[in-house]
Amino acid sequence: MAVQNNLSNLDTLIIPFSLEGTDGKFYSPSSFDDKKILIIIFICNHCPYVKAIMDRLVSFQNKYNDDGVRLVGINSNDPESYPEDSFDNMKLFYSEYKMNFPYLCDETQDTARKYGAVCTPDFYLYDENRILKYRGRLDDNWKDETNITSKELEKATELLLNDMKIDFQQIPSMGCSIKWKAD
């Protein structure tokens, strides 16, 4: 298990990328210029932490779809060492979980490195100026959604949608470590 603890990049500009999605299209941050909030999540197919929250992410996107919020999933894991995280398996994962947001492949792992991604899931919430305003967890119970008492990503999203500052402690996400390619 890895715990993301790098909050030092808050208030920094979004980092450019151009990655292929499971739909065969290439996406960059500018693909979502019409959205008020862009949330980039480093995820993968095999991680139990990710699997446990996938339905919640789909529900989250449904809830905020009409409010100008867009989730974007990025898989940076090494498919050589973790075949379950291959691009073909990403397409199956996308279909299985009925994902309603783009799922992109970071084949070179350059995007994950530039972002300082540590684990899956790892959340980056950008405001309309594409400034990082939240880097924390989805909620306080990755395992069991019936025992959630604090929905931090939702709270951060609501504050930004209402042009307010995020005024609560950002608790790091936890999950499986990014599976880096051998040098």
Side-chain angles (χ1 to χ4, degrees), residues 22-75:
T22 54
D23 59 2
K25 297 177 186 172
F26 280 81
Y27 294 88
S28 68
S30 64
S31 302
F32 310 102
D33 282 350
D34 62 327
K35 303 300 179 190
K36 184 170 182 176
I37 294 175
L38 180 61
I39 302 170
I40 295 171
I41 314 162
F42 287 88
I43 60 175
C44 69
N45 307 335
H46 85 273
C47 174
Y49 292 87
V50 171
K51 288 178 177 180
I53 65 166
M54 280 309 301
D55 291 339
R56 282 182 261 172
L57 293 178
V58 169
S59 293
F60 181 96
Q61 183 60 68
N62 279 334
K63 179 176 182 173
Y64 290 105
N65 201 47
D66 294 338
D67 296 320
V69 177
R70 171 57 57 203
L71 297 178
V72 176
I74 298 177
N75 178 4

Short mmCIF file of all heavy atoms in Angstrom, two decimals, residues 22-75:
data_model
loop_
_atom_site.label_atom_id
_atom_site.label_comp_id
_atom_site.label_asym_id
_atom_site.label_seq_id
_atom_site.Cartn_x
_atom_site.Cartn_y
_atom_site.Cartn_z
N THR A 22 -9.52 4.90 -24.06
CA THR A 22 -10.04 3.58 -24.44
C THR A 22 -10.96 3.69 -25.65
O THR A 22 -11.24 2.68 -26.29
CB THR A 22 -10.79 2.93 -23.27
OG1 THR A 22 -11.80 3.84 -22.79
CG2 THR A 22 -9.84 2.57 -22.14
N ASP A 23 -11.41 4.90 -25.98
CA ASP A 23 -12.26 5.12 -27.14
C ASP A 23 -11.46 5.40 -28.41
O ASP A 23 -12.03 5.68 -29.46
CB ASP A 23 -13.25 6.26 -26.88
CG ASP A 23 -12.56 7.58 -26.56
OD1 ASP A 23 -11.30 7.64 -26.57
OD2 ASP A 23 -13.28 8.56 -26.29
N GLY A 24 -10.11 5.35 -28.32
CA GLY A 24 -9.26 5.58 -29.47
C GLY A 24 -8.95 7.04 -29.74
O GLY A 24 -8.14 7.36 -30.61
N LYS A 25 -9.55 7.96 -28.98
CA LYS A 25 -9.28 9.40 -29.14
C LYS A 25 -8.14 9.81 -28.21
O LYS A 25 -7.93 9.20 -27.17
CB LYS A 25 -10.52 10.22 -28.78
CG LYS A 25 -11.71 9.97 -29.67
CD LYS A 25 -12.90 10.78 -29.20
CE LYS A 25 -14.15 10.43 -29.98
NZ LYS A 25 -15.34 11.08 -29.41
N PHE A 26 -7.43 10.87 -28.61
CA PHE A 26 -6.39 11.43 -27.76
C PHE A 26 -6.95 12.62 -27.00
O PHE A 26 -7.73 13.41 -27.55
CB PHE A 26 -5.17 11.85 -28.59
CG PHE A 26 -4.29 10.68 -28.93
CD1 PHE A 26 -4.60 9.84 -29.98
CD2 PHE A 26 -3.16 10.40 -28.17
CE1 PHE A 26 -3.81 8.74 -30.28
CE2 PHE A 26 -2.36 9.31 -28.46
CZ PHE A 26 -2.69 8.47 -29.52
N TYR A 27 -6.57 12.73 -25.74
CA TYR A 27 -7.06 13.78 -24.87
C TYR A 27 -5.90 14.54 -24.24
O TYR A 27 -4.85 13.96 -23.95
CB TYR A 27 -7.90 13.20 -23.73
CG TYR A 27 -9.19 12.56 -24.18
CD1 TYR A 27 -9.24 11.22 -24.57
CD2 TYR A 27 -10.38 13.29 -24.21
CE1 TYR A 27 -10.42 10.63 -24.97
CE2 TYR A 27 -11.57 12.71 -24.62
CZ TYR A 27 -11.58 11.37 -24.99
OH TYR A 27 -12.75 10.79 -25.40
N SER A 28 -6.13 15.82 -24.01
CA SER A 28 -5.20 16.68 -23.28
C SER A 28 -6.04 17.52 -22.33
O SER A 28 -7.27 17.52 -22.44
CB SER A 28 -4.43 17.57 -24.26
OG SER A 28 -5.31 18.51 -24.84
N PRO A 29 -5.42 18.25 -21.43
CA PRO A 29 -6.23 19.11 -20.55
C PRO A 29 -7.13 20.07 -21.34
O PRO A 29 -8.26 20.34 -20.94
CB PRO A 29 -5.18 19.86 -19.73
CG PRO A 29 -4.05 18.88 -19.64
CD PRO A 29 -4.01 18.23 -21.00
N SER A 30 -6.66 20.54 -22.50
CA SER A 30 -7.47 21.48 -23.28
C SER A 30 -8.72 20.83 -23.87
O SER A 30 -9.65 21.53 -24.27
CB SER A 30 -6.63 22.13 -24.38
OG SER A 30 -6.20 21.15 -25.31
N SER A 31 -8.77 19.49 -23.89
CA SER A 31 -9.97 18.79 -24.36
C SER A 31 -11.16 19.10 -23.45
O SER A 31 -12.31 18.86 -23.84
CB SER A 31 -9.74 17.28 -24.37
OG SER A 31 -8.65 16.93 -25.18
N PHE A 32 -10.87 19.61 -22.27
CA PHE A 32 -11.92 19.84 -21.27
C PHE A 32 -12.02 21.32 -20.88
O PHE A 32 -12.46 21.66 -19.79
CB PHE A 32 -11.63 18.97 -20.04
CG PHE A 32 -11.36 17.54 -20.40
CD1 PHE A 32 -10.07 17.05 -20.44
CD2 PHE A 32 -12.40 16.70 -20.77
CE1 PHE A 32 -9.82 15.73 -20.81
CE2 PHE A 32 -12.16 15.38 -21.15
CZ PHE A 32 -10.86 14.90 -21.16
N ASP A 33 -11.62 22.20 -21.82
CA ASP A 33 -11.67 23.63 -21.54
C ASP A 33 -13.06 24.14 -21.21
O ASP A 33 -13.21 25.18 -20.57
CB ASP A 33 -11.11 24.43 -22.72
CG ASP A 33 -9.59 24.44 -22.77
OD1 ASP A 33 -8.95 23.98 -21.78
OD2 ASP A 33 -9.03 24.88 -23.79
N ASP A 34 -14.09 23.42 -21.64
CA ASP A 34 -15.46 23.85 -21.37
C ASP A 34 -15.94 23.46 -19.97
O ASP A 34 -17.05 23.79 -19.59
CB ASP A 34 -16.41 23.25 -22.42
CG ASP A 34 -16.43 21.73 -22.40
OD1 ASP A 34 -15.39 21.10 -22.11
OD2 ASP A 34 -17.50 21.16 -22.70
N LYS A 35 -15.09 22.77 -19.22
CA LYS A 35 -15.47 22.33 -17.87
C LYS A 35 -14.94 23.29 -16.82
O LYS A 35 -13.80 23.76 -16.90
CB LYS A 35 -14.94 20.92 -17.59
CG LYS A 35 -15.40 19.88 -18.61
CD LYS A 35 -16.90 19.76 -18.65
CE LYS A 35 -17.36 18.74 -19.68
NZ LYS A 35 -18.79 18.77 -19.91
N LYS A 36 -15.75 23.54 -15.82
CA LYS A 36 -15.34 24.42 -14.72
C LYS A 36 -14.32 23.73 -13.82
O LYS A 36 -13.40 24.37 -13.30
CB LYS A 36 -16.56 24.86 -13.90
CG LYS A 36 -16.21 25.85 -12.82
CD LYS A 36 -17.42 26.48 -12.16
CE LYS A 36 -16.97 27.49 -11.12
NZ LYS A 36 -18.08 28.20 -10.52
N ILE A 37 -14.49 22.43 -13.63
CA ILE A 37 -13.58 21.66 -12.77
C ILE A 37 -13.12 20.42 -13.53
O ILE A 37 -13.93 19.73 -14.16
CB ILE A 37 -14.29 21.25 -11.46
CG1 ILE A 37 -14.60 22.49 -10.62
CG2 ILE A 37 -13.44 20.26 -10.66
CD1 ILE A 37 -15.40 22.21 -9.36
N LEU A 38 -11.83 20.15 -13.46
CA LEU A 38 -11.26 18.95 -14.06
C LEU A 38 -10.58 18.16 -12.95
O LEU A 38 -9.74 18.70 -12.22
CB LEU A 38 -10.25 19.32 -15.14
CG LEU A 38 -9.56 18.17 -15.86
CD1 LEU A 38 -10.56 17.28 -16.59
CD2 LEU A 38 -8.51 18.71 -16.84
N ILE A 39 -10.98 16.90 -12.83
CA ILE A 39 -10.40 16.04 -11.79
C ILE A 39 -9.69 14.89 -12.48
O ILE A 39 -10.31 14.06 -13.14
CB ILE A 39 -11.48 15.49 -10.85
CG1 ILE A 39 -12.25 16.65 -10.20
CG2 ILE A 39 -10.85 14.57 -9.79
CD1 ILE A 39 -13.50 16.24 -9.44
N ILE A 40 -8.37 14.87 -12.35
CA ILE A 40 -7.55 13.81 -12.92
C ILE A 40 -7.31 12.79 -11.81
O ILE A 40 -6.92 13.15 -10.69
CB ILE A 40 -6.23 14.37 -13.46
CG1 ILE A 40 -6.53 15.31 -14.64
CG2 ILE A 40 -5.28 13.25 -13.86
CD1 ILE A 40 -5.34 16.08 -15.13
N ILE A 41 -7.55 11.52 -12.16
CA ILE A 41 -7.37 10.44 -11.18
C ILE A 41 -6.46 9.39 -11.79
O ILE A 41 -6.76 8.84 -12.84
CB ILE A 41 -8.70 9.77 -10.81
CG1 ILE A 41 -9.78 10.80 -10.53
CG2 ILE A 41 -8.51 8.85 -9.60
CD1 ILE A 41 -11.17 10.21 -10.59
N PHE A 42 -5.36 9.12 -11.13
CA PHE A 42 -4.50 8.01 -11.57
C PHE A 42 -5.10 6.74 -10.99
O PHE A 42 -5.24 6.60 -9.77
CB PHE A 42 -3.05 8.24 -11.11
CG PHE A 42 -2.40 9.32 -11.91
CD1 PHE A 42 -2.49 10.65 -11.52
CD2 PHE A 42 -1.72 9.03 -13.08
CE1 PHE A 42 -1.93 11.66 -12.28
CE2 PHE A 42 -1.14 10.03 -13.85
CZ PHE A 42 -1.25 11.35 -13.44
N ILE A 43 -5.52 5.86 -11.90
CA ILE A 43 -6.16 4.61 -11.52
C ILE A 43 -5.56 3.47 -12.34
O ILE A 43 -4.70 3.72 -13.20
CB ILE A 43 -7.70 4.65 -11.73
CG1 ILE A 43 -8.06 4.92 -13.20
CG2 ILE A 43 -8.35 5.68 -10.82
CD1 ILE A 43 -9.55 4.87 -13.51
N CYS A 44 -5.98 2.26 -12.10
CA CYS A 44 -5.58 1.12 -12.91
C CYS A 44 -6.67 0.05 -12.80
O CYS A 44 -7.64 0.24 -12.08
CB CYS A 44 -4.22 0.58 -12.48
SG CYS A 44 -4.25 -0.21 -10.86
N ASN A 45 -6.48 -1.04 -13.51
CA ASN A 45 -7.50 -2.08 -13.56
C ASN A 45 -7.44 -3.06 -12.40
O ASN A 45 -8.46 -3.58 -11.98
CB ASN A 45 -7.38 -2.89 -14.85
CG ASN A 45 -7.38 -2.03 -16.08
OD1 ASN A 45 -7.90 -0.92 -16.09
ND2 ASN A 45 -6.78 -2.53 -17.14
N HIS A 46 -6.25 -3.36 -11.90
CA HIS A 46 -6.11 -4.48 -10.96
C HIS A 46 -6.18 -4.07 -9.48
O HIS A 46 -6.38 -4.91 -8.62
CB HIS A 46 -4.80 -5.24 -11.22
CG HIS A 46 -3.61 -4.64 -10.54
ND1 HIS A 46 -2.85 -3.65 -11.09
CD2 HIS A 46 -3.07 -4.91 -9.32
CE1 HIS A 46 -1.88 -3.32 -10.25
NE2 HIS A 46 -2.00 -4.07 -9.18
N CYS A 47 -6.05 -2.81 -9.19
CA CYS A 47 -5.95 -2.35 -7.79
C CYS A 47 -7.27 -2.51 -7.03
O CYS A 47 -8.30 -2.00 -7.45
CB CYS A 47 -5.53 -0.89 -7.79
SG CYS A 47 -5.53 -0.13 -6.16
N PRO A 48 -7.24 -3.20 -5.90
CA PRO A 48 -8.47 -3.37 -5.11
C PRO A 48 -9.03 -2.04 -4.59
O PRO A 48 -10.24 -1.89 -4.42
CB PRO A 48 -8.07 -4.30 -3.97
CG PRO A 48 -6.59 -4.30 -3.94
CD PRO A 48 -6.12 -3.93 -5.30
N TYR A 49 -8.15 -1.06 -4.33
CA TYR A 49 -8.61 0.25 -3.87
C TYR A 49 -9.43 0.94 -4.96
O TYR A 49 -10.45 1.57 -4.69
CB TYR A 49 -7.42 1.15 -3.50
CG TYR A 49 -6.66 0.68 -2.28
CD1 TYR A 49 -5.63 -0.24 -2.40
CD2 TYR A 49 -6.95 1.18 -1.02
CE1 TYR A 49 -4.92 -0.68 -1.30
CE2 TYR A 49 -6.25 0.76 0.10
CZ TYR A 49 -5.23 -0.17 -0.05
OH TYR A 49 -4.53 -0.59 1.05
N VAL A 50 -8.96 0.81 -6.21
CA VAL A 50 -9.68 1.41 -7.33
C VAL A 50 -10.99 0.67 -7.58
O VAL A 50 -12.05 1.30 -7.72
CB VAL A 50 -8.79 1.41 -8.61
CG1 VAL A 50 -9.60 1.83 -9.83
CG2 VAL A 50 -7.58 2.30 -8.42
N LYS A 51 -10.93 -0.65 -7.63
CA LYS A 51 -12.15 -1.43 -7.87
C LYS A 51 -13.23 -1.11 -6.84
O LYS A 51 -14.41 -1.04 -7.17
CB LYS A 51 -11.84 -2.92 -7.86
CG LYS A 51 -11.06 -3.38 -9.07
CD LYS A 51 -10.75 -4.87 -8.95
CE LYS A 51 -10.03 -5.38 -10.17
NZ LYS A 51 -9.73 -6.82 -10.06
N ALA A 52 -12.82 -0.89 -5.61
CA ALA A 52 -13.78 -0.64 -4.53
C ALA A 52 -14.51 0.69 -4.70
O ALA A 52 -15.63 0.85 -4.19
CB ALA A 52 -13.06 -0.66 -3.18
N ILE A 53 -13.92 1.65 -5.42
CA ILE A 53 -14.55 2.96 -5.54
C ILE A 53 -15.08 3.26 -6.95
O ILE A 53 -15.64 4.33 -7.17
CB ILE A 53 -13.59 4.09 -5.11
CG1 ILE A 53 -12.39 4.18 -6.05
CG2 ILE A 53 -13.18 3.92 -3.65
CD1 ILE A 53 -11.59 5.46 -5.89
N MET A 54 -14.94 2.34 -7.88
CA MET A 54 -15.34 2.63 -9.26
C MET A 54 -16.82 3.02 -9.37
O MET A 54 -17.15 3.99 -10.07
CB MET A 54 -15.03 1.46 -10.19
CG MET A 54 -13.58 1.39 -10.62
SD MET A 54 -12.92 2.94 -11.30
CE MET A 54 -14.01 3.24 -12.68
N ASP A 55 -17.69 2.32 -8.71
CA ASP A 55 -19.11 2.68 -8.78
C ASP A 55 -19.35 4.08 -8.21
O ASP A 55 -20.18 4.83 -8.72
CB ASP A 55 -19.98 1.65 -8.04
CG ASP A 55 -20.03 0.31 -8.75
OD1 ASP A 55 -19.76 0.26 -9.98
OD2 ASP A 55 -20.33 -0.69 -8.09
N ARG A 56 -18.59 4.44 -7.17
CA ARG A 56 -18.72 5.77 -6.59
C ARG A 56 -18.23 6.85 -7.55
O ARG A 56 -18.80 7.95 -7.61
CB ARG A 56 -17.95 5.87 -5.27
CG ARG A 56 -18.69 5.21 -4.13
CD ARG A 56 -17.94 5.36 -2.84
NE ARG A 56 -17.21 4.12 -2.60
CZ ARG A 56 -16.33 3.94 -1.65
NH1 ARG A 56 -16.03 4.91 -0.82
NH2 ARG A 56 -15.74 2.78 -1.49
N LEU A 57 -17.16 6.53 -8.31
CA LEU A 57 -16.66 7.51 -9.28
C LEU A 57 -17.67 7.72 -10.41
O LEU A 57 -17.90 8.86 -10.83
CB LEU A 57 -15.31 7.05 -9.85
CG LEU A 57 -14.14 7.02 -8.87
CD1 LEU A 57 -12.88 6.50 -9.55
CD2 LEU A 57 -13.90 8.39 -8.26
N VAL A 58 -18.28 6.64 -10.89
CA VAL A 58 -19.31 6.75 -11.92
C VAL A 58 -20.49 7.58 -11.39
O VAL A 58 -21.00 8.46 -12.08
CB VAL A 58 -19.74 5.36 -12.42
CG1 VAL A 58 -20.98 5.43 -13.30
CG2 VAL A 58 -18.59 4.68 -13.17
N SER A 59 -20.91 7.32 -10.17
CA SER A 59 -22.00 8.09 -9.55
C SER A 59 -21.62 9.55 -9.38
O SER A 59 -22.44 10.45 -9.61
CB SER A 59 -22.37 7.50 -8.19
OG SER A 59 -22.93 6.22 -8.33
N PHE A 60 -20.38 9.80 -8.98
CA PHE A 60 -19.88 11.17 -8.81
C PHE A 60 -19.98 11.91 -10.15
O PHE A 60 -20.49 13.03 -10.20
CB PHE A 60 -18.43 11.13 -8.32
CG PHE A 60 -17.81 12.47 -8.08
CD1 PHE A 60 -17.80 13.03 -6.82
CD2 PHE A 60 -17.22 13.18 -9.12
CE1 PHE A 60 -17.23 14.28 -6.60
CE2 PHE A 60 -16.64 14.41 -8.92
CZ PHE A 60 -16.65 14.97 -7.65
N GLN A 61 -19.50 11.27 -11.23
CA GLN A 61 -19.56 11.93 -12.54
C GLN A 61 -21.01 12.18 -12.94
O GLN A 61 -21.33 13.26 -13.46
CB GLN A 61 -18.85 11.10 -13.61
CG GLN A 61 -18.81 11.76 -14.98
CD GLN A 61 -18.09 13.09 -14.96
OE1 GLN A 61 -16.89 13.16 -14.76
NE2 GLN A 61 -18.83 14.18 -15.16
N ASN A 62 -21.88 11.23 -12.71
CA ASN A 62 -23.31 11.44 -13.00
C ASN A 62 -23.87 12.63 -12.24
O ASN A 62 -24.60 13.44 -12.79
CB ASN A 62 -24.13 10.19 -12.67
CG ASN A 62 -24.05 9.13 -13.74
OD1 ASN A 62 -23.83 9.43 -14.91
ND2 ASN A 62 -24.23 7.89 -13.35
N LYS A 63 -23.52 12.72 -10.96
CA LYS A 63 -24.04 13.79 -10.11
C LYS A 63 -23.62 15.17 -10.60
O LYS A 63 -24.40 16.11 -10.56
CB LYS A 63 -23.57 13.57 -8.66
CG LYS A 63 -24.03 14.64 -7.70
CD LYS A 63 -23.62 14.34 -6.28
CE LYS A 63 -24.15 15.43 -5.35
NZ LYS A 63 -23.92 15.10 -3.95
N TYR A 64 -22.35 15.29 -11.05
CA TYR A 64 -21.81 16.60 -11.39
C TYR A 64 -21.68 16.86 -12.89
O TYR A 64 -21.16 17.89 -13.30
CB TYR A 64 -20.44 16.78 -10.71
CG TYR A 64 -20.57 16.93 -9.22
CD1 TYR A 64 -20.25 15.88 -8.37
CD2 TYR A 64 -21.05 18.11 -8.67
CE1 TYR A 64 -20.38 16.01 -7.00
CE2 TYR A 64 -21.19 18.25 -7.30
CZ TYR A 64 -20.86 17.20 -6.46
OH TYR A 64 -21.00 17.34 -5.12
N ASN A 65 -22.16 15.96 -13.70
CA ASN A 65 -22.03 16.09 -15.15
C ASN A 65 -22.59 17.40 -15.67
O ASN A 65 -21.98 18.05 -16.51
CB ASN A 65 -22.71 14.89 -15.83
CG ASN A 65 -22.21 14.68 -17.22
OD1 ASN A 65 -21.00 14.68 -17.46
ND2 ASN A 65 -23.11 14.50 -18.16
N ASP A 66 -23.75 17.80 -15.18
CA ASP A 66 -24.38 19.03 -15.66
C ASP A 66 -23.84 20.29 -14.99
O ASP A 66 -24.25 21.40 -15.33
CB ASP A 66 -25.90 18.96 -15.44
CG ASP A 66 -26.54 17.88 -16.30
OD1 ASP A 66 -25.96 17.49 -17.33
OD2 ASP A 66 -27.64 17.41 -15.93
N ASP A 67 -22.90 20.13 -14.07
CA ASP A 67 -22.32 21.28 -13.36
C ASP A 67 -20.95 21.67 -13.90
O ASP A 67 -20.26 22.50 -13.31
CB ASP A 67 -22.18 20.96 -11.86
CG ASP A 67 -23.53 20.75 -11.20
OD1 ASP A 67 -24.47 21.50 -11.52
OD2 ASP A 67 -23.65 19.84 -10.36
N GLY A 68 -20.54 21.05 -15.01
CA GLY A 68 -19.25 21.41 -15.59
C GLY A 68 -18.07 20.75 -14.91
O GLY A 68 -16.98 21.31 -14.85
N VAL A 69 -18.28 19.55 -14.39
CA VAL A 69 -17.21 18.79 -13.73
C VAL A 69 -16.89 17.57 -14.59
O VAL A 69 -17.79 16.86 -15.03
CB VAL A 69 -17.64 18.34 -12.32
CG1 VAL A 69 -16.56 17.49 -11.66
CG2 VAL A 69 -17.97 19.56 -11.45
N ARG A 70 -15.62 17.32 -14.82
CA ARG A 70 -15.21 16.17 -15.61
C ARG A 70 -14.12 15.39 -14.88
O ARG A 70 -13.09 15.93 -14.51
CB ARG A 70 -14.69 16.63 -16.97
CG ARG A 70 -14.05 15.57 -17.84
CD ARG A 70 -14.90 14.37 -18.15
NE ARG A 70 -16.13 14.74 -18.79
CZ ARG A 70 -17.22 13.98 -18.77
NH1 ARG A 70 -17.23 12.82 -18.15
NH2 ARG A 70 -18.32 14.37 -19.36
N LEU A 71 -14.39 14.11 -14.68
CA LEU A 71 -13.36 13.18 -14.21
C LEU A 71 -12.60 12.67 -15.43
O LEU A 71 -13.18 12.49 -16.50
CB LEU A 71 -13.99 11.98 -13.50
CG LEU A 71 -14.79 12.20 -12.23
CD1 LEU A 71 -15.34 10.87 -11.73
CD2 LEU A 71 -13.94 12.85 -11.16
N VAL A 72 -11.31 12.39 -15.23
CA VAL A 72 -10.48 11.76 -16.25
C VAL A 72 -9.58 10.76 -15.54
O VAL A 72 -8.84 11.13 -14.63
CB VAL A 72 -9.61 12.79 -17.00
CG1 VAL A 72 -8.68 12.10 -17.99
CG2 VAL A 72 -10.47 13.82 -17.71
N GLY A 73 -9.69 9.49 -15.92
CA GLY A 73 -8.83 8.46 -15.35
C GLY A 73 -7.60 8.25 -16.21
O GLY A 73 -7.69 8.27 -17.44
N ILE A 74 -6.45 8.07 -15.55
CA ILE A 74 -5.20 7.79 -16.26
C ILE A 74 -4.57 6.56 -15.65
O ILE A 74 -4.36 6.49 -14.43
CB ILE A 74 -4.22 8.98 -16.18
CG1 ILE A 74 -4.82 10.23 -16.84
CG2 ILE A 74 -2.88 8.61 -16.83
CD1 ILE A 74 -3.94 11.47 -16.74
N ASN A 75 -4.25 5.59 -16.50
CA ASN A 75 -3.55 4.37 -16.06
C ASN A 75 -2.09 4.47 -16.50
O ASN A 75 -1.81 4.53 -17.69
CB ASN A 75 -4.20 3.13 -16.68
CG ASN A 75 -3.50 1.84 -16.31
OD1 ASN A 75 -2.56 1.83 -15.53
ND2 ASN A 75 -3.95 0.74 -16.88
#
